[in-house]
Amino acid sequence: MNSQGTKDSLPFPKSFWTAQQATPQFPALEENHTTEIGIVGAGIVGIISAYLLAKSGKKVVLIEADRLISGVTGHTTAKITAQHSLIYDDLIQTFGKEKAKLYYEANIDGLHFIQQLIEELQIDCAYETKDAFVYAETDKGQKKLEKEAEAYQTLGIKGALAKDKADLPFPIKEALVMYDQAQFDPVRFLTVLVQEIVRLGGQIYEHTRAVEVIKEKTPMILTENNSLILCQKVILATHYPINDADGLYFTRLSIHRSYAMVMRTASKIPEGMYINAEQPTRSIRSVQGADGIPLLLIGGEGHQTGKSSSKTIFHYQDLDAFGKKYFAAQSPLHLWSSQDLQTLDKLPYIGQMTKQTEAVLVATGFNKWGMSAGAMAGKLLADSILGTENSYASLFDPTRKKLKLSDTQTFLKKNSAVAKDFVTGKLKRPDKNLEDLLLDEGGLVHVHGKKVGAYRDKQGQLHQTVPVCTHLGCNLDWNDAERSWDCACHGSRFSYNGAVLDGPAVKPLEHPDSQM
């Protein structure tokens, strides 16, 4: 299919959640600042930890590189659930029954904590209790569900095989339900917490990118405009830690993108929240439209960042086709993508970043399930700073014990792939000249014998960059759907004009003229 025609038939990517709710605006930090707690990243983890610490009387400064809730939290499917696809049988095999159950309880506590905040602060955020389902369409998938159902029974999870309860418009082999989970609008929820942070004396700065944590006796956060925040403790809630060389985090995290869209449909939308057991992933739930009419949200089509087997736009096309085929859906109202991190053992890293840096805490690696786990992480980090015991601290400790054999194999495979990506990117050659680019087209081009990244926007203006990641020097691939430059090595992403979209990179791309 012609990608130019496909792009013209779909809206420019924009999250449904960020389009529905205007968040409060805050200035950029332009001078040095002293506080007790410096928090980097205004998503669900950063905002909840800031709220809890401000509520306890701590002086808090929360900074965000872009707008509030504009990162992964604003680009989620917003399911609040402990049903993280198929994970509990695997956790029992890897960690044993006790830790597998603790993981379940941690996420249920995260769900209950969100519910508690909604009730206490009377937040209108489209919160609805829903049953969560994993469904299988193949015999292999069915067997996986049966094993996972046994794990549910072993751990005392409130759920069971429930093919007869699934209300999907296509045949399935089996379904596994986890009862009494939830869905909501994360931007509306967190906007109220932001207002509470300000009321409690917390300070918030937007368009303030942290580029480094300087680990002196008193840690300091260095920002892009050379302002310093001096603090007693630092929380890195930036999705990908900006100080990723500490603890070699860039070797311990794999990065994946997935896609979502919201569509109108006259067909019945399933009552529960659904995700399939096979690939490609299909995630299904309802959302509340501005007019009160339910809309259909479909997500999936995941792949490693910078390593899509087809043009990015085709992932949106496949979701669109799925919605039209099974739900008679209309063309999407909103579509967006998100970036997710997975740790080597599939458990998030939450707590002290390294054994040598007591003052720096981190939360990362939520493996696409950051709502329940993110709420739990915000509370865990606040408890750590306040000296309050938290029963989940050791389970998610980023400095936890040595890797198991399977984790070591994952580590070696991941980092061998990164080395291969680095070399492959250097060998890739442009197949176009600058004048060949059509409107709304980008890619690698020849300019005066050099390899340049270029994009010609819909008005005909050219935007040129050096397509080399500013994190560790890997070459970048053009993402035709988001009009971005993506790094397959560690997942950094840059706008067509070179601005950082996703870390671990903190510096923008260079312009070709700067190298002449």
Side-chain angles (χ1 to χ4, degrees), residues 88 91-106 154-155 391-392 394-395:
Y88 290 101
L91 291 181
I92 289 172
Q93 303 305 319
T94 305
F95 294 101
K97 296 176 186 177
E98 183 179 342
K99 289 186 176 180
K101 183 160 187 173
L102 203 60
Y103 178 86
Y104 166 72
E105 291 172 347
T154 298
L155 301 176
S391 57
Y392 308 122
S394 63
L395 180 66

Side-chain angles (χ1 to χ4, degrees), residues 133-135 145 160-168 172-177 179 274:
F133 293 82
V134 184
Y135 68 90
L145 260 61
L161 293 174
K163 179 182 177 181
D164 58 328
K165 290 185 169 67
D167 58 339
L168 294 168
I172 61 173
K173 292 280 187 178
E174 188 56 272
L176 176 66
V177 64
Y179 296 111
Y274 289 84

Side-chain angles (χ1 to χ4, degrees), residues 16 56 75 198 216 228 248 250 271 313 347 370 384:
F16 173 79
S56 74
H75 291 78
V198 174
E216 302 292 342
L228 286 171
L248 297 177
F250 64 88
E271 276 299 312
I313 199 70
L347 296 185
S384 176

Side-chain angles (χ1 to χ4, degrees), residues 143-155:
K143 289 178 182 177
K144 289 182 179 179
L145 260 61
E146 289 167 352
K147 286 191 71 175
E148 189 78 348
E150 292 175 8
Y152 278 28
Q153 187 173 15
T154 298
L155 301 176

Side-chain angles (χ1 to χ4, degrees), residues 9-301:
S9 67
L10 294 172
F12 195 88
K14 173 71 174 177
S15 164
F16 173 79
W17 314 115
T18 58
Q20 302 306 301
Q21 173 73 43
T23 57
Q25 296 188 24
F26 296 91
L29 180 65
E30 297 180 347
E31 58 187 9
N32 294 343
H33 206 298
T34 300
T35 188
E36 289 182 279
I37 316 297
I39 302 175
V40 186
I44 189 168
V45 177
I47 290 173
I48 285 181
S49 58
Y51 165 73
L52 291 173
L53 290 165
K55 188 178 179 183
S56 74
K58 294 290 185 183
K59 293 180 180 179
V60 174
V61 170
L62 172 64
I63 65 172
E64 167 57 45
D66 194 357
R67 293 294 321 283
L68 299 178
I69 329 172
S70 63
V72 176
T73 300
H75 291 78
T76 173
T77 55
K79 298 176 179 179
I80 317 170
T81 178
Q83 188 189 63
H84 298 170
S85 189
L86 302 177
I87 193 170
Y88 290 101
D89 178 64
D90 187 40
L91 291 181
I92 289 172
Q93 303 305 319
T94 305
F95 294 101
K97 296 176 186 177
E98 183 179 342
K99 289 186 176 180
K101 183 160 187 173
L102 203 60
Y103 178 86
Y104 166 72
E105 291 172 347
N107 282 279
I108 290 296
D109 278 0
L111 185 158
H112 289 161
F113 185 57
I114 290 174
Q115 189 177 41
Q116 175 188 327
L117 289 174
I118 290 169
E119 292 172 355
E120 285 180 0
L121 300 174
Q122 298 183 317
I123 304 174
D124 177 11
C125 60
Y127 181 93
E128 297 177 277
T129 298
K130 297 280 184 179
D131 294 334
F133 293 82
V134 184
Y135 68 90
E137 300 176 88
T138 64
D139 292 337
K140 185 177 180 180
Q142 180 179 353
K143 289 178 182 177
K144 289 182 179 179
L145 260 61
E146 289 167 352
K147 286 191 71 175
E148 189 78 348
E150 292 175 8
Y152 278 28
Q153 187 173 15
T154 298
L155 301 176
I157 293 173
K158 189 180 175 185
L161 293 174
K163 179 182 177 181
D164 58 328
K165 290 185 169 67
D167 58 339
L168 294 168
F170 46 83
I172 61 173
K173 292 280 187 178
E174 188 56 272
L176 176 66
V177 64
M178 186 180 289
Y179 296 111
D180 300 328
Q181 306 302 290
Q183 61 185 31
F184 73 153
D185 181 326
V187 176
R188 285 162 61 183
F189 168 72
L190 292 171
T191 294
V192 174
L193 291 187
V194 166
Q195 294 165 347
E196 285 295 300
I197 292 168
V198 174
R199 185 185 68 80
L200 293 164
Q203 294 179 287
I204 301 175
Y205 298 94
E206 295 182 307
H207 305 293
T208 302
R209 181 177 296 279
V211 297
E212 186 182 356
V213 176
I214 301 170
K215 298 175 290 298
E216 302 292 342
K217 185 174 181 181
T218 299
M220 295 177 283
I221 302 167
L222 175 64
T223 69
E224 194 172 38
N225 65 357
N226 290 321
S227 295
L228 286 171
I229 304 172
L230 283 72
C231 33
Q232 297 170 12
K233 296 277 187 177
V234 175
I235 291 177
L236 295 179
T238 52
H239 187 54
Y240 204 120
I242 59 168
N243 272 30
D244 64 317
D246 294 345
L248 297 177
Y249 275 75
F250 64 88
T251 69
R252 300 162 57 194
L253 293 165
S254 55
I255 308 95
H256 301 266
R257 291 200 72 71
S258 54
Y259 304 84
M261 58 179 52
V262 165
M263 316 169 81
R264 291 191 185 278
T265 175
S267 299
K268 181 180 181 296
I269 300 174
E271 276 299 312
M273 305 182 299
Y274 289 84
I275 192 167
N276 63 336
E278 294 91 8
Q279 295 295 325
T281 304
R282 292 290 179 265
S283 177
I284 304 166
R285 60 158 286 191
S286 62
V287 300
Q288 290 183 11
D291 53 7
I293 297 174
L295 302 172
L296 174 69
L297 189 159
I298 300 172
E301 289 287 314

Side-chain angles (χ1 to χ4, degrees), residues 298-314:
I298 300 172
E301 289 287 314
H303 62 83
Q304 188 174 336
T305 298
K307 285 191 170 184
S308 175
S309 59
S310 63
K311 287 192 172 185
T312 308
I313 199 70
F314 294 153

